[in-house]
C-alpha cells in the first residue's frame, strides 16, 4: 500500500507563507492531479512530497511510513519535471539506467529494468540515440522511463507536457493515462491545464493561493462546484457569470433584462449574487435583443459565439452542427433555470 496523506501541511519561506495547512488523502494507485493558476503552490506542494522542499509544519505519510523528515532518496518517489534534464552525452539507454548504475545495482538488473521501461514507453527504436536526436515528446518519454526504472511507489509529475506542442501534448496525455493503467502506481500530477486535469485524474485537487478550494472526481467538480472559483476553473470554455440580485423570490439579472427562478434556497431579498451558466447550456434566441454578437469562432462540429450584454457582461455560447450565429447581429439568450448555479457575490460560495 502506498497512498499519500498530508496532514495540516504548511510551507513558509522566511516570513512568507505559501502553503496554508493542506489536508489530503491520496489512495494507493490513485491518479491525483493538483490544478490551479500559476503561483498557487502546486510545485511547492509536490516538491514537499518529493522531499525537495522542507515541510515547515504538519505531517506526511507514504504508505505506512511517516516521511515528513526523510531525504528524497528514502521516500520511494520518482519525479518527472517539465524540463527533461537528460544527460546530453549519454544514449537513451544510458540515461535511463544511470540512476541505478550510480546506486550500484548489478548490470543484469539494470538491463532488465531498462528493457521493461523501454517496452512500456515504446522506445525500442531510440535506445542508442542521444537526446539531441530526439523530439520533445521522445525526450519526455525517456525522462519518464528514468522514473519507471527506479520502481517508485509514487510517481510525481510537475507539468511534464508544458514544453510540448499542442499535438504532442494530446498524444503524451494519452500515453500517461495508459502508463498509469499499466503500472497502477500512485501518481501525483501537477498542471495548470484544466483539460489535462479532467482527462487524467481520478481525483482533482483545485488549489488557489496555497489553499485547497475543492477535492473531487473530475465530473463531480464540473457538475457540483462548491464555489465560483472552482466553477470558473473547471470546464472549457469557462462558465459565464452574470451579476444579479435577489428580488421577489427570484434572481433579477440586469444583463438579461429578466428574472430567473433559480431552484435553490435563496438568501435574503436584496443580496447580491452571481448567476453562473455554462456555454454549453445556453441557446441563442434570434428573436431576442439583449446581446450583441461580437465574434464567432467555427471549429467544425462546435462553434463559439462571443456575446456582450448592454450592461457590458461577456457571454460565451457553445453551438453545435450547422446552427451557428453570425457576428454583428443582436440576439437574446435562453437557458434552463435548473442548469444555472448561484453564488454569493461577496464570499463566492455556492448557494444551494
Ligand atoms: P505553481 O507551481 O502553482 O505555479 P509555486 O509552487 O512554484 O506555484 O509557487 C507558489 C508560491 O511560492 C509563489 O508565490 C512563489 O513565488 C512562492 N515561492 C516558490 N518558491 C519560493 C522560494 N524559494 N522562495 C520564496 N517564495 C517562493
Ligand atoms: Mg509550478
Amino acid at each position: 500500500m502506498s497512498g499519500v496523506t498530508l496532514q495540516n501541511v504548511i510551507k513558509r519561506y522566511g516570513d512568507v507563507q505559501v502553503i496554508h495547512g493542506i489536508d489530503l488523502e491520496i489512495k494507493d494507485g490513485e491518479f491525483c492531479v493538483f490544478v490551479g493558476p500559476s503561483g498557487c503552490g502546486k510545485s511547492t506542494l509536490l516538491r514537499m512530497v518529493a522531499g525537495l522542499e522542507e515541510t515547515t509544519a504538519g505531517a506526511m505519510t507514504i504508505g505506512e511510513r511517516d516521511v515528513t523528515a526523510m531525504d528524497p532518496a528514502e521516500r520511494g518517489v520518482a519525479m518527472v519535471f517539465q524540463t527533461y534534464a537528460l544527460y546530453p552525452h549519454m544514449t537513451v539507454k544510458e540515461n535511463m539506467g544511470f540512476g541505478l548504475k550510480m546506486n550500484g545495482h548489478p548490470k543484469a538488473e539494470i538491463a532488465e529494468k531498462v528493457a521493461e521501461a523501454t517496452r512500456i514507453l515504446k522506445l525500442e527504436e531510440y535506445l542508442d540515440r542521444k537526446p539531441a536526436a530526439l523530439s520533445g515528446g521522445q525526450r519526455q518519454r525517456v525522462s519518464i522511463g528514468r522514473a519507471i526504472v527506479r520502481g517508485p511507489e509514487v510517481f510525481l509529475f510537475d507539468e511534464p507536457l508544458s514544453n510540448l506542442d499542442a499535438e504532442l501534448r494530446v498524444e503524451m496525455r494519452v500515453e500517461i493515462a495508459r502508463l498509469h493503467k499499466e503500472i497502477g502506481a500512485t501518481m501525483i500530477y501537477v498542471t495548470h491545464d484544466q483539460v489535462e486535469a479532467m482527462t487524467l485524474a481520478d481525483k482533482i485537487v483545485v488549489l488557489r493561493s496555497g489553499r485547497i478550494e475543492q477535492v473531487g472526481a473530475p465530473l463531480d467538480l464540473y457538475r457540483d462546484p462548491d464555489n465560483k472559483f472552482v466553477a470558473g476553473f473547471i470546464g472549457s470554455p469557462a462558465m459565464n457569470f452574470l451579476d444579479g440580485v435577489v428580488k421577489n423570490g427570484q434572481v433579477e439579472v440586469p444583463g438579461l433584462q429578466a428574472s430567473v427562478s433559480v431552484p435553490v434556497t435563496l438568501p435574503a431579498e436584496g443580496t447580491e449574487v452571481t448567476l453562473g451558466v455554462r456555454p454549453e447550456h445556453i441557446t441563442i434566441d434570434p428573436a431576442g435583443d439583449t446581446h450583441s454578437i461580437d465574434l464567432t469562432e467555427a471549429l467544425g462540429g462546435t462553434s463559439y459565439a462571443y456575446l456582450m450584454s448592454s450592461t457590458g457582461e461577456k457571454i460565451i455560447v457553445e453551438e453545435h452542427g450547422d446552427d451557428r450565429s453570425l457576428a454583428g447581429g443582436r440576439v437574446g439568450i435562453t437557458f434552463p433555470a435548473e442548469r444555472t448555479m448561484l453564488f454569493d457575490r461577496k464570499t463566492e460560495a455556492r448557494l444551494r
Side-chain angles (χ1 to χ4, degrees), residues 31-159:
F31 199 118
C32 176
V33 175
F34 295 170
V35 72
S38 184
C40 71
K42 304 178 296 291
S43 295
T44 303
L45 196 57
L46 193 74
R47 292 170 61 82
M48 288 163 78
V49 175
L52 298 172
E53 293 284 351
E54 202 181 309
T55 296
T56 309
M60 249 179 231
T61 64
I62 295 179
E64 302 294 309
R65 299 170 302 138
D66 184 331
V67 300
T68 318
M70 272 187 196
D71 282 343
E74 300 170 325
R75 296 190 179 206
V77 303
M79 190 146 164
V80 177
F81 300 89
Q82 177 178 345
T83 49
Y84 325 119
L86 300 175
Y87 298 106
H89 58 286
M90 291 185 199
T91 63
V92 165
K93 196 176 182 174
E94 289 162 348
N95 262 291
M96 288 200 285
F98 187 68
L100 295 181
K101 191 170 158 192
M102 289 307 286
N103 288 332
H105 289 254
K107 264 194 175 145
E109 183 198 327
I110 298 173
E112 190 182 314
K113 292 204 162 136
V114 169
E116 171 72 359
T118 302
R119 181 189 63 74
I120 292 172
L121 295 165
K122 303 198 189 86
L123 282 168
E124 287 86 352
E125 290 176 53
Y126 309 105
L127 280 178
D128 296 319
R129 286 204 202 167
K130 300 222 168 114
L134 299 174
S135 70
Q138 290 158 350
R139 283 180 211 167
Q140 192 53 294
R141 291 228 292 277
V142 177
S143 74
I144 295 170
R146 209 168 36 180
I148 293 174
V149 298
R150 296 179 51 196
E153 291 177 49
V154 182
F155 285 79
L156 306 173
F157 295 92
D158 192 355
E159 310 228 15

Side-chain angles (χ1 to χ4, degrees), residues 9-301:
V9 160
I10 287 169
K11 177 70 182 178
R12 259 184 237 115
Y13 290 108
D15 290 342
V16 185
Q17 186 161 340
V18 297
I19 300 290
H20 299 271
I22 300 277
D23 289 299
L24 181 65
E25 192 180 334
I26 301 167
K27 296 201 180 77
D28 184 38
E30 203 162 44
F31 199 118
C32 176
V33 175
F34 295 170
V35 72
S38 184
C40 71
K42 304 178 296 291
S43 295
T44 303
L45 196 57
L46 193 74
R47 292 170 61 82
M48 288 163 78
V49 175
L52 298 172
E53 293 284 351
E54 202 181 309
T55 296
T56 309
M60 249 179 231
T61 64
I62 295 179
E64 302 294 309
R65 299 170 302 138
D66 184 331
V67 300
T68 318
M70 272 187 196
D71 282 343
E74 300 170 325
R75 296 190 179 206
V77 303
M79 190 146 164
V80 177
F81 300 89
Q82 177 178 345
T83 49
Y84 325 119
L86 300 175
Y87 298 106
H89 58 286
M90 291 185 199
T91 63
V92 165
K93 196 176 182 174
E94 289 162 348
N95 262 291
M96 288 200 285
F98 187 68
L100 295 181
K101 191 170 158 192
M102 289 307 286
N103 288 332
H105 289 254
K107 264 194 175 145
E109 183 198 327
I110 298 173
E112 190 182 314
K113 292 204 162 136
V114 169
E116 171 72 359
T118 302
R119 181 189 63 74
I120 292 172
L121 295 165
K122 303 198 189 86
L123 282 168
E124 287 86 352
E125 290 176 53
Y126 309 105
L127 280 178
D128 296 319
R129 286 204 202 167
K130 300 222 168 114
L134 299 174
S135 70
Q138 290 158 350
R139 283 180 211 167
Q140 192 53 294
R141 291 228 292 277
V142 177
S143 74
I144 295 170
R146 209 168 36 180
I148 293 174
V149 298
R150 296 179 51 196
E153 291 177 49
V154 182
F155 285 79
L156 306 173
F157 295 92
D158 192 355
E159 310 228 15
L161 309 186
S162 298
N163 281 356
L164 306 178
D165 63 42
E167 194 182 338
L168 259 177
R169 220 155 49 216
V170 174
E171 201 177 296
M172 283 300 293
R173 196 172 79 204
V174 175
E175 288 277 310
I176 288 176
R178 195 177 56 77
L179 176 73
H180 179 245
K181 217 167 159 195
E182 173 153 1
I183 299 184
T186 309
M187 295 187 174
I188 308 179
Y189 186 102
V190 162
T191 180
H192 64 271
D193 179 332
Q194 64 89 26
V195 177
E196 268 175 39
M198 290 298 282
T199 52
L200 286 170
D202 296 313
K203 175 188 273 173
I204 295 180
V205 178
V206 182
L207 292 165
R208 171 162 70 158
S209 306
R211 292 190 170 82
I212 293 182
E213 290 285 322
Q214 196 173 354
V215 178
L219 289 178
D220 290 342
L221 295 189
Y222 169 84
R223 290 191 193 116
D224 199 13
D226 283 342
N227 54 54
K228 186 181 165 215
F229 180 79
V230 174
F233 199 81
I234 301 289
S236 173
M239 181 181 276
N240 296 293
F241 295 114
L242 297 160
D243 282 351
V245 63
V246 178
K247 206 163 177 187
N248 301 325
Q250 290 192 310
V251 176
E252 188 180 83
V253 184
L256 298 173
Q257 297 167 28
S259 292
V260 182
S261 295
V262 186
V264 300
T265 309
L266 288 175
E269 287 283 308
T271 305
E272 293 191 318
V273 291
T274 302
L275 185 76
V277 202
R278 295 200 181 274
E280 54 271 41
H281 297 144
I282 303 179
T283 308
I284 287 181
D285 171 15
D289 188 36
T290 52
H291 289 75
S292 59
I293 303 183
D294 290 346
L295 179 77
T296 58
E297 288 176 334
L299 307 182

Side-chain angles (χ1 to χ4, degrees), residues 277-323:
V277 202
R278 295 200 181 274
E280 54 271 41
H281 297 144
I282 303 179
T283 308
I284 287 181
D285 171 15
D289 188 36
T290 52
H291 289 75
S292 59
I293 303 183
D294 290 346
L295 179 77
T296 58
E297 288 176 334
L299 307 182
T302 303
S303 45
Y304 298 115
Y306 294 78
L307 276 50
M308 175 83 82
S309 71
S310 45
T311 54
E313 284 172 316
K314 290 180 183 160
I315 296 264
I316 301 182
V317 180
E318 184 174 316
E319 300 184 288
H320 291 282
D322 295 326
D323 303 331

